[in-house]
Amino acid sequence: MNEFLKKILAKAAGFWADWSMRQRVIFLAVIVAVVVGIVMLFRVSATPVMASVIDAPIRDEEVLDRILVRLNEEGVNVTVTPNGIVQVADQTTARRMRTILIREDLIPSNIDPWKIFDKERWTITDLERKINLQRAQQQMIVEHIKSIEGVDNTRVSIVWPAKELFQSEQNPVSASVVIFPTPGSDITKNRKKIEGIQKLLKLAIEGLKDENIAITDNYANVINDFEGMAESDRLSNIVRESKIVQDDEKIYRTRILSQLQSTFTSNRVRDLNIKIDKDMSKKSVDTTEYFPVIIKPPTPGLPYDDSVRRESVLRSESVSETTWKGTGQNPEGPSGVEGQTPPAFKDMSNLYGEMTQTTRTHNEDINETKTKEERSPKQMERVTVSVNIDGTWKLKHDEKGSLVVLPDNTLEREYIPVPDDDLRKAERIIRDAIGYNSARGDSVTVTNIAFDRTEEFKLEDAAYFRKKQIQTTVIVFLSGLTLLLFGFILFRMISREMERRRRLAEEERARREQMLRESAMAAAEQEGMEVSISLEERNRMELMESVINMAKEHPDDAAQLIRTWLLEE
């Protein structure tokens, strides 16, 4: 085996040595191409065949993330191509995932859910054409309903049953609609809009009847059950009519109260009771009116009416005349045989005479107007109003002008009722405000009953006595403060007087002592005796001498110092 390999390698080396450079390059290029081809072949054959879940590319990243999360929940390996197409391992998995996405409404809004079932074929059958037509009708109905204001989204399912041979065995066409309203929309409660959607379905789908249409909201509540809603509609009408009556009562009450309170003040007219009865039922009225026929209209400018009118106009006339002449004896033939004389002339037989009878028949036309109308009058049947107006209270005063206080420590008051003339005037104001009509039984009552003002009077009495107490306290306080101030001033005057007398006494004593010293020193000097002066006396004399010198050198400062001492004293 080794010899065989050595021979092959020797031959290859001989060929390689005999080849030129160009041949060697070509050989190497062929070898590289073969190797690359083999590698690509193995790689392509190793790549699994992927199936698309949705043929259209998905550009919205958020929608794509929701689809990938849902497919990952099913444990499916998902691949997304660079252009946004979602792929799975095989066609079976793709069909299963496609059903899940349709069921959970994860198909993007710009992609037709039915488009995933569209496949290019060489031929198309009648069944497919019919299905395509039904799909187009269903999609058009969805677009119509979405265009209605208040509808955010909708789902429509229409069942077209197969045609049966006998009409009695034919199943009816049925449709179900689920409406997703926008926030704040009344589409699920507005009966007119629901009836409009139901009528749109009936006109778009041939053979569809009301009983085979089910319209629900997003909470599975049937909203087109109009027969079941009859009682609810009746209650709604009653509530709405009651609200209309209450609004009218509120308007009248506000208007009348504001007028009375501006006259008698709001404290005397606190409330007004009004009850309005209205006929809210619908009425159908047929009216026939007859008018005279105007033969000649009135001449303009004349001070009188020269028109010619007739109750009717002769349209046709028929005249019938009958003339009779008596025939005398009228033989009736042999006995036992009835004659040929008419019964009307039997009583006139065997008579002589003549008679002429004329009958005239007139056909006349009159002016007639017939009116048929259905109206809901909503007219007032009866209005009743009652209001109470309080009188006025006046505090009593005694001869001195002070308020009279009763033994129970309350103020005495006097009630002044409202004059009858004012009550009648207020009643006339209310009657004019409501459009009073005695024929329909309207009633207006204005009374004068005193309000219970016990609590109000208690507060007023408490405030009055509190004020009196405060006044008394203030007077006593001011009196005491005045006495205290007078005593302080008197004490100050007495103390100053005693201080002044004490200072005068000390000054007098000091003056006497000074005079005694001066006289003693003068006597000693005259006698030529040495006088021994104590240290204290010597300091005092030196201090006195320095003060006298300072006063001489600075008289202004000395005067200011003396002035300050006098002010302090």
Side-chain angles (χ1 to χ4, degrees), residues 225-243:
D225 185 12
F226 302 125
E227 293 182 359
M229 294 170 61
E231 184 66 21
S232 177
D233 292 342
R234 188 180 69 84
L235 294 177
S236 299
N237 291 332
I238 293 175
V239 172
R240 186 167 54 254
E241 292 171 358
S242 300
K243 188 176 184 305

Side-chain angles (χ1 to χ4, degrees), residues 141-374:
I141 293 172
V142 170
E143 296 298 330
H144 279 315
I145 296 177
K146 282 185 178 180
S147 63
I148 298 174
E149 182 182 0
V151 177
D152 184 30
N153 196 6
T154 184
R155 294 180 184 174
V156 178
S157 177
I158 305 172
V159 178
W160 283 277
K163 289 189 177 180
E164 301 292 343
L165 180 61
F166 298 101
Q167 185 67 28
S168 59
E169 299 178 357
Q170 180 66 44
N171 293 324
V173 181
S174 60
S176 64
V177 180
V178 180
I179 295 176
F180 297 86
T182 57
S185 172
D186 64 338
I187 185 70
T188 58
K189 298 179 182 179
N190 194 321
R191 181 168 180 172
K192 291 184 178 180
K193 293 183 180 180
I194 299 172
E195 289 177 345
I197 296 174
Q198 185 167 310
K199 188 174 182 181
L200 184 147
L201 292 170
K202 289 168 58 181
L203 295 176
I205 304 171
E206 183 181 1
L208 185 62
K209 297 182 180 179
D210 293 339
E211 59 268 17
N212 298 323
I213 300 175
I215 303 177
T216 64
D217 58 8
N218 52 333
Y219 298 104
N221 298 319
V222 179
I223 58 178
N224 69 325
D225 185 12
F226 302 125
E227 293 182 359
M229 294 170 61
E231 184 66 21
S232 177
D233 292 342
R234 188 180 69 84
L235 294 177
S236 299
N237 291 332
I238 293 175
V239 172
R240 186 167 54 254
E241 292 171 358
S242 300
K243 188 176 184 305
I244 292 174
V245 174
Q246 291 175 1
D247 292 341
D248 291 345
E249 291 176 351
K250 187 182 298 183
I251 292 172
Y252 279 104
R253 183 183 297 109
T254 304
R255 184 187 306 168
I256 298 173
L257 264 181
S258 62
Q259 190 168 3
L260 292 178
Q261 289 178 350
S262 63
T263 304
F264 297 99
T265 71
S266 58
N267 193 27
R268 295 175 58 191
V269 183
R270 299 180 179 178
D271 198 4
L272 180 139
N273 300 317
I274 182 169
K275 180 68 173 67
I276 297 178
D277 296 330
K278 274 193 175 184
D279 183 10
M280 310 294 285
S281 61
K282 294 183 178 180
K283 294 183 179 180
S284 180
V285 180
D286 295 336
T287 305
T288 302
E289 296 180 346
Y290 299 97
F291 300 95
V293 179
I294 300 176
I295 304 300
K296 177 182 176 300
T299 303
L302 290 179
Y304 58 91
D305 186 7
D306 63 342
S307 61
V308 179
R309 303 170 185 263
R310 291 184 183 176
E311 295 181 356
S312 61
V313 177
L314 181 62
R315 183 175 183 182
S316 62
E317 182 181 12
S318 62
V319 180
S320 175
E321 294 184 356
T322 303
T323 303
W324 172 82
K325 291 184 179 182
T327 59
Q329 292 183 349
N330 186 13
E332 297 184 0
S335 59
V337 179
E338 188 175 355
Q340 302 298 320
T341 304
F345 292 97
K346 282 185 177 182
D347 294 338
M348 300 180 183
S349 62
N350 302 323
L351 297 175
Y352 292 94
E354 294 182 359
M355 183 185 69
T356 300
Q357 182 179 0
T358 302
T359 303
R360 295 179 180 272
T361 303
H362 297 274
N363 185 10
E364 297 183 352
D365 285 342
I366 59 176
N367 276 345
E368 180 180 355
T369 301
K370 292 184 177 181
T371 304
K372 185 176 182 180
E373 58 180 346
E374 183 176 348

Side-chain angles (χ1 to χ4, degrees), residues 419-463:
D420 294 338
D421 188 32
D422 292 345
L423 294 177
R424 286 192 293 270
K425 290 178 181 179
E427 184 176 348
R428 285 198 297 269
I429 291 174
I430 298 174
R431 288 188 177 187
D432 293 340
I434 64 172
Y436 179 82
N437 186 358
S438 59
R440 65 188 182 193
D442 292 352
S443 173
V444 176
T445 303
V446 181
T447 59
N448 173 213
I449 302 175
F451 291 162
D452 183 10
R453 300 181 182 272
T454 304
E455 297 298 328
E456 183 180 348
F457 290 162
K458 285 182 179 179
L459 295 177
E460 290 181 357
D461 294 347

